[in-house]
Amino acid sequence: MRVLVGVDVGGSGVKSAPVDVDGGALLRKRTRIPTPQPSTPDAVFDVVVSLVANEDAAGPVGVAIPTVVVDGVARSAANIDDAWIGTDVRAALTSRLDRPVAVLNDADAAGMAEMRFGAGRDRRGVVIVLTFGTGVGSAVFVDGRLVPNTEFGHLEFMGDDAEHSTAARLVEEDEVSLRKWAKRVDKYLDGLYRVFTPQLIVFGGGISKRFDDFSKWLKVDCEVVPASLRNQAGIVGAALAAAALE
Ligand code: BGC
């Protein structure tokens, strides 16, 4: 069994766990530290270093972050400090951790984990994995291959950035009811369906554990299934990215 550490940097928490990268399971419960505020790269790097120091597993580390990532460099910042834009995250963490580091977008990581071990397993054609949390992340797969950095959370919807009206945060913080949110999300999914005609939409993020409570409001003409790795998917996908370095 190959065990590697996956780290998932989110808008509200930074989480890590050792992952069996051949079976997709966490070897122990994840550790979570609140995301420092302000969430500058240096402050978050300190948290990542302390989380990794607490894990036994050696070898490369995978780190998922909520930004566009090109060649290890963060290229956007929506729910994290603007100082991330232009930061070479891979170089900074490789030097601080003194081991190889893979850096990728958090939704891409979650999507990779769902495609390998979860709800998208063995699914061909166009599959869209969405993560509803503090923001909305997306990962698109064509015959199992990732098209990275798609950022569907920032498509225009209801005259604004889609994630402003569709993030799960709105329900978790009681700003909108589950019903109102789900009906909105349904319209948003319908817009995505019209443009991409996916064969499957995987509904991810922590809120997917309530899928049975809100799926009755999802009428989009496409198969929609809840993510099976829930909010562990980012950690598992980060560890998979690290495995690809080996
Ligand atoms: C970011 C994405 C990220 C998503 C989920 C969005 O605001 O732009 O890169 O995947 O939030 O964290």
Side-chain angles (χ1 to χ4, degrees):
M1 180 169 63
R2 284 183 307 159
V3 177
L4 294 173
V5 178
V7 182
D8 187 7
V9 176
S12 54
V14 186
K15 292 125 324 197
S16 78
V19 178
D20 163 10
V21 289
D22 301 307
L26 302 196
L27 293 191
R28 59 164 183 70
K29 209 171 160 291
R30 61 187 193 152
T31 312
R32 181 182 188 278
I33 296 181
T35 306
Q37 298 301 335
S39 52
T40 56
D42 277 335
V44 172
F45 294 162
D46 287 345
V47 172
V48 173
V49 169
S50 75
L51 283 168
V52 173
N54 273 325
E55 307 287 1
D56 296 336
V61 173
V63 181
I65 60 175
T67 79
V68 167
V69 181
V70 180
D71 285 337
V73 178
R75 291 289 176 202
S76 69
N79 296 300
I80 196 139
D81 197 272
D82 281 349
W84 283 79
I85 300 171
T87 299
D88 191 335
V89 180
R90 183 171 61 201
L93 285 175
T94 302
S95 114
R96 292 211 192 190
L97 294 168
D98 197 22
R99 50 211 266 195
V101 178
V103 180
L104 75 169
N105 171 263
D106 58 353
D108 286 348
M112 280 168 54
E114 289 293 338
M115 295 303 285
R116 182 81 64 88
F117 302 114
R121 192 173 179 156
D122 297 329
R123 295 294 298 249
R124 313 295 294 168
V126 176
V127 177
I128 299 180
V129 180
L130 297 168
T131 62
F132 292 85
T134 311
V136 175
S138 58
V140 174
F141 295 84
V142 183
D143 290 337
R145 224 172 141 208
L146 173 69
V147 181
N149 293 316
T150 47
E151 296 292 326
F152 292 168
H154 300 293
L155 289 174
E156 189 181 323
F157 178 68
M158 291 171 50
D160 195 0
D161 227 20
E163 71 177 17
H164 290 166
S165 53
T166 59
R169 182 186 63 74
L170 298 170
V171 178
E172 281 146 13
E173 294 173 5
D174 285 330
E175 278 184 46
V176 294
S177 67
L178 188 66
R179 177 172 183 271
K180 188 166 182 189
W181 170 81
K183 288 188 156 201
R184 261 187 210 167
V185 168
D186 183 48
K187 284 209 184 74
Y188 169 64
L189 298 184
D190 189 55
L192 288 178
Y193 181 73
R194 284 162 192 270
V195 179
F196 294 99
T197 325
Q199 271 109 311
L200 176 70
I201 295 175
V202 177
F203 204 109
I207 198 148
S208 61
K209 63 175 177 284
R210 298 176 69 184
F211 189 79
D212 288 347
D213 299 334
F214 63 76
S215 59
K216 55 179 170 283
W217 294 301
L218 303 181
K219 309 275 190 218
V220 58
D221 189 20
C222 175
E223 184 184 0
V224 184
V225 296
S228 47
L229 300 166
R230 305 273 154 78
N231 51 7
Q232 299 184 353
I235 296 176
V236 174
L240 285 176
L245 295 178
E246 286 193 312

